[in-house]
Amino acid sequence: MTARGWVLLAGFAVLAAAWSGPLPELSRRLFSAHMLMHVAVIAIAAPLLAIGIAGDRFDPVPRAPKTFSPIPASIIELVVVWAWHAPALHHLARGSAAMLVIEQASFLGAGLLVWMSALGGSRVQRRERAVAGVSGLLLASMHMTLLGVLLALAGRPLYVHGIQAAFGLTPLEDQHLGGVIMLLAGGAAYLAGALYRVSGLLKERGDAVSAG
């Protein structure tokens, strides 16, 4: 199996662990478990799947470059992520298996849209779209970081769901932990992706200068 194949397999393994392991059941009681499942899908599995698909015959970017436009994709992801963290929708996802499936599918779809927009396409397309790809990933990193900060520093619990405490955590402590998870995994993953694209862009320009 090629390196790309192993990366793709790792992405599917992360999805399987997030969706078939203990997290779905734990997420009914713990906001932090729900957040861990969220970042596993959108910030770990999605980029691994995108890396495994990018440049392959299954890469959708060459066929639909306007659909996979980095900055609009990041705005769509922002709307999806923030909407599902509104207390009403979040409550539905934690209390209904069907709504949880819809939520997780939308997270995966939004994540793949952003990461494919930033990493996918032919070699020429990746070079032409490099700056937009970096901008899209930075925008995603900023809104993930902002959401994490708001949750981690909130003075009152937003997601109580009738549970006073679980696993020794009060609802507010659980929410703070979820915010930290978003900061460390969500914001950092997109920032790392942006830095990776920047390093590739600088390398290409350096090679062009050397060749000239």
Side-chain angles (χ1 to χ4, degrees):
M1 185 181 293
T2 65
R4 188 186 298 273
W6 283 111
V7 172
L8 191 62
L9 184 62
F12 284 118
V14 172
L15 284 181
W19 289 343
S20 64
L23 287 179
E25 182 60 32
L26 285 174
S27 69
R28 291 180 175 271
R29 301 187 63 195
L30 288 171
F31 172 77
S32 53
H34 196 100
M35 185 64 78
L36 188 59
M37 184 164 56
H38 168 196
V39 297
V41 170
I42 206 167
I44 301 176
L48 289 173
L49 293 174
I51 292 169
I53 296 171
D56 202 320
R57 60 193 178 95
F58 296 109
D59 187 342
V61 177
R63 297 186 294 275
K66 292 184 179 179
T67 300
F68 290 87
S69 184
I71 295 178
S74 292
I75 294 173
I76 291 171
E77 185 193 53
L78 184 155
V79 172
V80 169
V81 169
W82 283 72
W84 279 110
H85 285 86
L89 275 181
H90 181 79
H91 177 79
L92 289 175
R94 286 178 70 176
S96 164
M99 291 300 294
L100 179 63
V101 169
I102 294 172
E103 179 207 55
Q104 292 298 303
S106 66
F107 282 159
L108 179 60
L112 284 174
L113 181 64
V114 171
W115 287 102
M116 288 305 310
S117 297
L119 304 178
S122 65
R123 182 173 297 180
V124 172
Q125 285 177 317
R126 287 196 297 271
R127 184 167 61 249
E128 293 175 344
R129 295 153 56 98
V131 174
V134 170
S135 300
L137 289 173
L138 285 176
L139 175 59
S141 176
M142 287 188 288
H143 85 74
M144 292 277 192
T145 299
L146 177 58
L147 180 58
V149 169
L150 291 175
L151 293 171
L153 298 181
R156 63 183 181 85
L158 301 174
Y159 312 106
V160 177
H161 302 293
I163 299 171
Q164 296 304 311
F167 297 94
L169 295 173
T170 66
L172 184 57
E173 291 170 339
D174 182 31
Q175 181 177 297
H176 287 169
L177 178 58
V180 172
I181 291 171
M182 170 66 85
L183 277 170
L184 295 181
Y190 286 88
L191 179 60
L195 294 175
Y196 169 77
R197 293 296 282 124
V198 168
S199 67
L201 183 59
L202 293 176
K203 182 178 183 303
E204 287 182 1
R205 290 188 175 179
D207 292 342
V209 170
S210 300

